[in-house]
Amino acid sequence: MKFEVTILGSAAATPAYGRFPTSQVLNIQDYWYMIDCGEGTQMRLTDFHVPRNRINHIFISHLHGDHCFGLPGFLTSMSLNGRQEELHIFSPAGLQEMIETVLRISASHLVYTVHYHVIDTEKHELLYENSALTVHSIPLKHAVPTSGFLFREKTFLPNFIKEKIVEHEIPVAQIPLIKAGADFLKADGTLIPHHEMVYAPVPSRSYAFCSDTMYHEAIIPIIENVSLLYHETTFTEEFKENAAWGMHSTAFQAATIAQKANVGELIIGHYSARFQDFQPLLAEAKRVFKNTSPSSDGSVFSVPYLKNNV
Ligand SMILES: [Zn+2]
Ligand SMILES: [Zn+2]
């Protein structure tokens, strides 16, 4: 099953060295979700062949322009292209006012319905779910109200080993209970443990998006053991005063969070325009957390299966 993240923009506040501001899309079993929509996102969707009409849910972390200034153009382009499907946008308070003001003053009109969902950025809570996944908010610490997002595949009950029905004379009515975790007591008093009657469950995968934020240990219990973590790395430690001033993280800090949360892999991004190359940021992160990869515009990451995520 597909669970992929495509990076549309890896820059911090301003575009630099060919890097666009933040946006990502997730493809989870051929359903597409957008995270943030910085300036130029719709061009990046074209560049990287993302089917924009398959995006029905957009998650905006905060209202700094490098995370949402691409929305007015993206929304109006979809309208001009005759979009019919309703669109759901999740964000901290204020986005609806921002978008509707831009649309009103520019005499723009959307031919489809947008549902705005306001995130309480103080809470870790369920924002959205369907049959395949859940999306929870992650309260972050930044200069304005900001939320990260935790995408988690739903776990399915394990498949039953059919041969065990005859072997242990298991009544059909017991099967759902056994699949859900129950043991089976035979008529002769023998207890058959649950795990002997079912196949090993398919592990669920998870992706946590944490940008923008300063070093914030409160997120560790929320993102613990996730398969893949994207954590902003705007600066190296050399510029840690700049990071603190802007309420951003250094590569060292991001990697420390990854290590303390025991995540499977770390992706770094949201690079300051000070850095022409991400190598210094990558090297700093890898010193703390080896399994770190750099994002760049157009890079695609498969969310891995991990044993400890069962
Ligand atoms: Zn930013
Ligand atoms: Zn910001």
Side-chain angles (χ1 to χ4, degrees):
M1 289 293 196
K2 214 168 239 183
F3 192 167
E4 285 179 353
V5 183
T6 300
I7 308 296
L8 303 179
S10 58
T14 55
Y17 307 112
R19 302 187 297 251
F20 278 42
T22 301
S23 183
Q24 305 184 356
V25 282
L26 267 64
N27 178 353
I28 304 176
Q29 299 175 15
D30 287 325
Y31 288 91
W32 291 79
Y33 306 87
M34 177 179 280
I35 302 173
D36 285 347
C37 188
E39 182 189 346
T41 292
Q42 60 173 329
M43 269 79 88
R44 282 311 203 200
L45 291 170
T46 304
D47 292 343
F48 306 131
H49 312 293
V50 176
R52 63 186 67 200
N53 278 327
R54 304 278 296 277
I55 298 169
N56 296 326
H57 300 85
I58 300 176
F59 298 84
I60 301 292
S61 62
H62 65 300
L63 302 194
H64 279 158
D66 57 321
H67 296 256
C68 65
F69 279 179
L71 268 177
F74 179 45
L75 299 183
T76 49
S77 289
M78 286 197 290
S79 188
L80 290 168
N81 290 332
R83 182 189 172 100
Q84 298 288 316
E85 294 80 15
E86 297 185 348
L87 182 69
H88 293 265
I89 306 179
F90 300 77
S91 76
L95 186 73
Q96 181 171 3
E97 185 186 351
M98 181 196 289
I99 297 298
E100 290 183 349
T101 301
V102 173
L103 295 178
R104 179 171 49 79
I105 293 174
S106 63
S108 304
H109 172 69
L110 302 182
V111 298
Y112 56 91
T113 303
V114 178
H115 299 280
Y116 293 92
H117 305 268
V118 175
I119 301 171
D120 180 346
T121 57
E122 299 292 316
K123 285 188 184 158
H124 165 52
E125 60 185 1
L126 180 70
L127 301 176
Y128 171 74
E129 74 174 313
N130 61 24
S131 59
L133 85 158
T134 56
V135 186
H136 284 83
S137 58
I138 306 171
L140 299 176
K141 200 170 180 184
H142 191 44
V144 297
T146 303
S147 176
F149 303 106
L150 175 59
F151 291 77
R152 193 182 290 280
E153 279 182 323
K154 283 191 173 171
T155 43
F156 296 99
L157 293 178
N159 287 323
F160 195 81
I161 303 171
K162 290 195 178 78
E163 293 74 25
K164 299 293 176 183
I165 297 176
V166 178
E167 185 183 338
H168 299 304
E169 298 173 340
I170 300 170
V172 175
Q174 291 287 313
I175 292 173
L177 302 174
I178 294 167
K179 285 175 75 169
D183 299 327
F184 176 64
L185 187 62
K186 291 176 71 166
D188 66 4
T190 314
L191 190 69
I192 311 298
H194 157 79
H195 68 266
E196 287 186 12
M197 297 176 283
V198 295
Y199 292 101
V202 177
S204 87
R205 295 166 293 180
S206 49
Y207 174 63
F209 170 90
C210 295
S211 182
D212 296 353
T213 186
M214 61 191 302
Y215 183 78
H216 189 39
E217 289 198 346
I219 68 174
I220 291 172
I222 298 172
I223 64 169
E224 201 161 28
N225 297 330
V226 295
S227 319
L228 186 61
L229 166 67
Y230 172 93
H231 194 294
E232 70 134 286
T233 51
T234 308
F235 297 101
T236 53
E237 281 287 291
E238 188 187 346
F239 300 99
K240 64 180 174 197
E241 282 79 22
N242 302 60
W245 182 84
M247 300 186 81
H248 287 294
S249 296
T250 67
F252 170 80
Q253 291 169 332
T256 303
I257 291 286
Q259 188 240 329
K260 289 190 173 185
N262 190 37
V263 307
E265 292 180 28
L266 169 66
I267 305 172
I268 58 169
H270 197 267
Y271 313 124
S272 162
R274 283 176 183 274
F275 300 95
Q276 182 166 1
D277 193 313
F278 53 65
Q279 286 302 338
L281 297 143
L282 180 62
E284 183 174 299
K286 280 192 156 194
R287 277 198 288 277
V288 179
F289 190 81
K290 221 170 174 200
N291 204 5
T292 300
S293 299
S295 67
S296 52
D297 295 24
S299 52
V300 179
F301 298 89
S302 276
V303 180
Y305 285 105
L306 299 177
K307 280 189 187 136
N308 60 359
N309 281 340
V310 172

